[in-house]
Every structure is written in structure tokens, then in C-alpha cells.
mmCIF file of all heavy atoms in Angstrom:
data_model
loop_
_atom_site.group_PDB
_atom_site.id
_atom_site.type_symbol
_atom_site.label_atom_id
_atom_site.label_comp_id
_atom_site.label_asym_id
_atom_site.label_seq_id
_atom_site.Cartn_x
_atom_site.Cartn_y
_atom_site.Cartn_z
ATOM 1 N N PRO A 1 0.782 -1.197 -0.041
ATOM 2 C CA PRO A 1 -0.001 0.000 0.006
ATOM 3 C C PRO A 1 0.848 1.278 -0.014
ATOM 4 O O PRO A 1 0.320 2.344 -0.208
ATOM 5 C CB PRO A 1 -0.839 -0.069 1.284
ATOM 6 C CG PRO A 1 -0.614 -1.443 1.834
ATOM 7 C CD PRO A 1 0.610 -2.019 1.173
ATOM 8 N N LEU A 2 2.147 1.153 0.219
ATOM 9 C CA LEU A 2 2.964 2.363 0.295
ATOM 10 C C LEU A 2 3.352 2.915 -1.073
ATOM 11 O O LEU A 2 3.815 3.992 -1.206
ATOM 12 C CB LEU A 2 4.243 2.057 1.095
ATOM 13 C CG LEU A 2 3.999 1.684 2.558
ATOM 14 C CD1 LEU A 2 5.340 1.385 3.252
ATOM 15 C CD2 LEU A 2 3.291 2.789 3.315
ATOM 16 N N LEU A 3 3.223 2.091 -2.118
ATOM 17 C CA LEU A 3 3.516 2.653 -3.450
ATOM 18 C C LEU A 3 2.482 3.616 -3.828
ATOM 19 O O LEU A 3 1.270 3.376 -3.656
ATOM 20 C CB LEU A 3 3.606 1.478 -4.468
ATOM 21 C CG LEU A 3 4.747 0.571 -4.352
ATOM 22 C CD1 LEU A 3 4.641 -0.554 -5.390
ATOM 23 C CD2 LEU A 3 6.080 1.296 -4.496
ATOM 24 N N LEU A 4 2.918 4.736 -4.364
ATOM 25 C CA LEU A 4 1.971 5.845 -4.674
ATOM 26 C C LEU A 4 1.557 5.750 -6.129
ATOM 27 O O LEU A 4 2.363 5.465 -6.991
ATOM 28 C CB LEU A 4 2.584 7.186 -4.428
ATOM 29 C CG LEU A 4 2.902 7.456 -2.986
ATOM 30 C CD1 LEU A 4 3.609 8.900 -2.921
ATOM 31 C CD2 LEU A 4 1.635 7.532 -2.175
ATOM 32 N N PRO A 5 0.323 5.996 -6.412
ATOM 33 C CA PRO A 5 -0.072 6.139 -7.803
ATOM 34 C C PRO A 5 0.532 7.403 -8.396
ATOM 35 O O PRO A 5 1.006 8.227 -7.634
ATOM 36 C CB PRO A 5 -1.606 6.249 -7.741
ATOM 37 C CG PRO A 5 -1.859 6.837 -6.404
ATOM 38 C CD PRO A 5 -0.817 6.289 -5.487
ATOM 39 N N SER A 6 0.494 7.533 -9.674
ATOM 40 C CA SER A 6 1.006 8.749 -10.294
ATOM 41 C C SER A 6 0.219 9.942 -9.785
ATOM 42 O O SER A 6 -1.008 9.879 -9.681
ATOM 43 C CB SER A 6 0.857 8.661 -11.833
ATOM 44 O OG SER A 6 1.700 7.639 -12.320
ATOM 45 N N LEU A 7 0.890 10.989 -9.519
ATOM 46 C CA LEU A 7 0.250 12.245 -9.056
ATOM 47 C C LEU A 7 -0.166 13.062 -10.235
ATOM 48 O O LEU A 7 0.417 12.989 -11.322
ATOM 49 C CB LEU A 7 1.182 12.983 -8.136
ATOM 50 C CG LEU A 7 1.496 12.349 -6.840
ATOM 51 C CD1 LEU A 7 2.600 13.087 -6.108
ATOM 52 C CD2 LEU A 7 0.284 12.230 -5.932
ATOM 53 N N PRO A 8 -1.214 13.902 -10.080
ATOM 54 C CA PRO A 8 -1.667 14.690 -11.204
ATOM 55 C C PRO A 8 -0.544 15.682 -11.627
ATOM 56 O O PRO A 8 0.276 16.105 -10.800
ATOM 57 C CB PRO A 8 -2.854 15.445 -10.647
ATOM 58 C CG PRO A 8 -2.837 15.214 -9.188
ATOM 59 C CD PRO A 8 -1.978 14.085 -8.902
ATOM 60 N N ALA A 9 -0.592 16.051 -12.868
ATOM 61 C CA ALA A 9 0.369 17.051 -13.359
ATOM 62 C C ALA A 9 0.229 18.292 -12.537
ATOM 63 O O ALA A 9 -0.909 18.711 -12.160
ATOM 64 C CB ALA A 9 0.099 17.301 -14.804
ATOM 65 N N GLY A 10 1.320 18.933 -12.218
ATOM 66 C CA GLY A 10 1.260 20.120 -11.375
ATOM 67 C C GLY A 10 1.537 19.845 -9.907
ATOM 68 O O GLY A 10 1.750 20.756 -9.151
ATOM 69 N N ALA A 11 1.491 18.580 -9.505
ATOM 70 C CA ALA A 11 1.838 18.213 -8.137
ATOM 71 C C ALA A 11 3.398 18.109 -8.080
ATOM 72 O O ALA A 11 3.944 17.106 -8.375
ATOM 73 C CB ALA A 11 1.190 16.909 -7.708
ATOM 74 N N LEU A 12 3.956 19.223 -7.642
ATOM 75 C CA LEU A 12 5.430 19.289 -7.634
ATOM 76 C C LEU A 12 6.013 18.753 -6.325
ATOM 77 O O LEU A 12 5.447 18.901 -5.279
ATOM 78 C CB LEU A 12 5.864 20.734 -7.863
ATOM 79 C CG LEU A 12 5.427 21.409 -9.140
ATOM 80 C CD1 LEU A 12 5.826 22.845 -9.179
ATOM 81 C CD2 LEU A 12 5.945 20.655 -10.349
ATOM 82 N N ALA A 13 7.151 18.139 -6.500
ATOM 83 C CA ALA A 13 7.896 17.587 -5.326
ATOM 84 C C ALA A 13 8.896 18.648 -4.884
ATOM 85 O O ALA A 13 9.545 19.293 -5.674
ATOM 86 C CB ALA A 13 8.576 16.300 -5.702
ATOM 87 N N ALA A 14 8.964 18.796 -3.572
ATOM 88 C CA ALA A 14 9.969 19.670 -2.951
ATOM 89 C C ALA A 14 10.796 18.760 -2.022
ATOM 90 O O ALA A 14 10.339 18.322 -0.984
ATOM 91 C CB ALA A 14 9.343 20.785 -2.151
ATOM 92 N N CYS A 15 11.987 18.439 -2.492
ATOM 93 C CA CYS A 15 12.832 17.523 -1.717
ATOM 94 C C CYS A 15 13.526 18.256 -0.611
ATOM 95 O O CYS A 15 13.865 19.423 -0.695
ATOM 96 C CB CYS A 15 13.839 16.831 -2.596
ATOM 97 S SG CYS A 15 12.994 15.722 -3.781
ATOM 98 N N LEU A 16 13.651 17.579 0.514
ATOM 99 C CA LEU A 16 14.171 18.178 1.749
ATOM 100 C C LEU A 16 15.671 18.040 1.813
ATOM 101 O O LEU A 16 16.279 17.090 1.255
ATOM 102 C CB LEU A 16 13.569 17.439 2.970
ATOM 103 C CG LEU A 16 12.166 17.779 3.407
ATOM 104 C CD1 LEU A 16 11.143 17.415 2.324
ATOM 105 C CD2 LEU A 16 11.795 17.172 4.695
ATOM 106 N N SER A 17 16.300 18.985 2.498
ATOM 107 C CA SER A 17 17.713 18.856 2.793
ATOM 108 C C SER A 17 17.932 17.765 3.790
ATOM 109 O O SER A 17 16.946 17.284 4.415
ATOM 110 C CB SER A 17 18.291 20.164 3.348
ATOM 111 O OG SER A 17 17.742 20.410 4.601
ATOM 112 N N GLN A 18 19.174 17.321 3.993
ATOM 113 C CA GLN A 18 19.464 16.282 4.984
ATOM 114 C C GLN A 18 18.969 16.625 6.402
ATOM 115 O O GLN A 18 18.250 15.879 7.040
ATOM 116 C CB GLN A 18 20.967 15.969 5.008
ATOM 117 C CG GLN A 18 21.360 14.802 5.874
ATOM 118 C CD GLN A 18 20.828 13.466 5.311
ATOM 119 O OE1 GLN A 18 20.549 13.296 4.199
ATOM 120 N NE2 GLN A 18 20.719 12.440 6.186
ATOM 121 N N PRO A 19 19.271 17.861 6.863
ATOM 122 C CA PRO A 19 18.750 18.253 8.245
ATOM 123 C C PRO A 19 17.224 18.246 8.295
ATOM 124 O O PRO A 19 16.623 17.868 9.300
ATOM 125 C CB PRO A 19 19.336 19.609 8.478
ATOM 126 C CG PRO A 19 20.558 19.680 7.606
ATOM 127 C CD PRO A 19 20.223 18.922 6.393
ATOM 128 N N GLN A 20 16.555 18.738 7.218
ATOM 129 C CA GLN A 20 15.116 18.783 7.161
ATOM 130 C C GLN A 20 14.503 17.376 7.247
ATOM 131 O O GLN A 20 13.525 17.101 7.882
ATOM 132 C CB GLN A 20 14.620 19.530 5.942
ATOM 133 C CG GLN A 20 14.864 21.026 5.960
ATOM 134 C CD GLN A 20 14.513 21.625 4.613
ATOM 135 O OE1 GLN A 20 14.798 21.051 3.553
ATOM 136 N NE2 GLN A 20 14.025 22.862 4.627
ATOM 137 N N ALA A 21 15.148 16.461 6.444
ATOM 138 C CA ALA A 21 14.677 15.073 6.420
ATOM 139 C C ALA A 21 14.865 14.423 7.766
ATOM 140 O O ALA A 21 13.927 13.706 8.265
ATOM 141 C CB ALA A 21 15.451 14.271 5.353
ATOM 142 N N GLN A 22 15.951 14.652 8.416
ATOM 143 C CA GLN A 22 16.207 14.101 9.748
ATOM 144 C C GLN A 22 15.177 14.588 10.736
ATOM 145 O O GLN A 22 14.692 13.836 11.585
ATOM 146 C CB GLN A 22 17.587 14.423 10.239
ATOM 147 C CG GLN A 22 18.677 13.674 9.463
ATOM 148 C CD GLN A 22 20.114 14.150 9.782
ATOM 149 O OE1 GLN A 22 20.314 15.236 10.325
ATOM 150 N NE2 GLN A 22 21.057 13.287 9.560
ATOM 151 N N GLN A 23 14.850 15.846 10.639
ATOM 152 C CA GLN A 23 13.817 16.465 11.525
ATOM 153 C C GLN A 23 12.446 15.871 11.269
ATOM 154 O O GLN A 23 11.687 15.588 12.231
ATOM 155 C CB GLN A 23 13.764 18.016 11.382
ATOM 156 C CG GLN A 23 12.747 18.683 12.216
ATOM 157 C CD GLN A 23 12.904 18.481 13.682
ATOM 158 O OE1 GLN A 23 14.002 18.366 14.173
ATOM 159 N NE2 GLN A 23 11.759 18.362 14.400
ATOM 160 N N ALA A 24 12.070 15.645 10.013
ATOM 161 C CA ALA A 24 10.789 15.073 9.709
ATOM 162 C C ALA A 24 10.609 13.692 10.228
ATOM 163 O O ALA A 24 9.605 13.314 10.759
ATOM 164 C CB ALA A 24 10.574 15.102 8.154
ATOM 165 N N VAL A 25 11.721 12.910 10.154
ATOM 166 C CA VAL A 25 11.730 11.540 10.701
ATOM 167 C C VAL A 25 11.715 11.559 12.211
ATOM 168 O O VAL A 25 10.940 10.859 12.857
ATOM 169 C CB VAL A 25 12.918 10.698 10.156
ATOM 170 C CG1 VAL A 25 13.022 9.389 10.844
ATOM 171 C CG2 VAL A 25 12.756 10.519 8.622
ATOM 172 N N ALA A 26 12.570 12.423 12.808
ATOM 173 C CA ALA A 26 12.668 12.492 14.278
ATOM 174 C C ALA A 26 11.353 12.970 14.925
ATOM 175 O O ALA A 26 10.997 12.493 16.003
ATOM 176 C CB ALA A 26 13.805 13.451 14.662
ATOM 177 N N SER A 27 10.627 13.866 14.214
ATOM 178 C CA SER A 27 9.352 14.336 14.762
ATOM 179 C C SER A 27 8.204 13.397 14.536
ATOM 180 O O SER A 27 7.112 13.616 14.979
ATOM 181 C CB SER A 27 9.040 15.693 14.095
ATOM 182 O OG SER A 27 8.752 15.576 12.753
ATOM 183 N N GLY A 28 8.429 12.302 13.767
ATOM 184 C CA GLY A 28 7.396 11.329 13.512
ATOM 185 C C GLY A 28 6.504 11.655 12.359
ATOM 186 O O GLY A 28 5.514 10.967 12.070
#
């Protein structure tokens, strides 16, 4: 269930920096 279907055009991804990613995981 974790695989995502294709997102609609215009749904842009904003990738996180390493510190931001660590914070997102640490905060749950």
C-alpha cells in the first residue's frame, strides 16, 4: 500500500535537505 499512484500534473515535489529530512523523521 505504500507505493503511490502517479500524481496529477502540477503536483510538484519539494525535496528536503538532509537536516530537514532528519527532523521530519525525528518528529514522527
Side-chain angles (χ1 to χ4, degrees):
L2 297 178
L3 290 177
L4 294 177
S6 297
L7 293 172
L12 300 176
C15 294
L16 283 63
S17 68
Q18 186 70 20
Q20 291 171 323
Q22 289 172 339
Q23 178 60 35
V25 172
S27 69

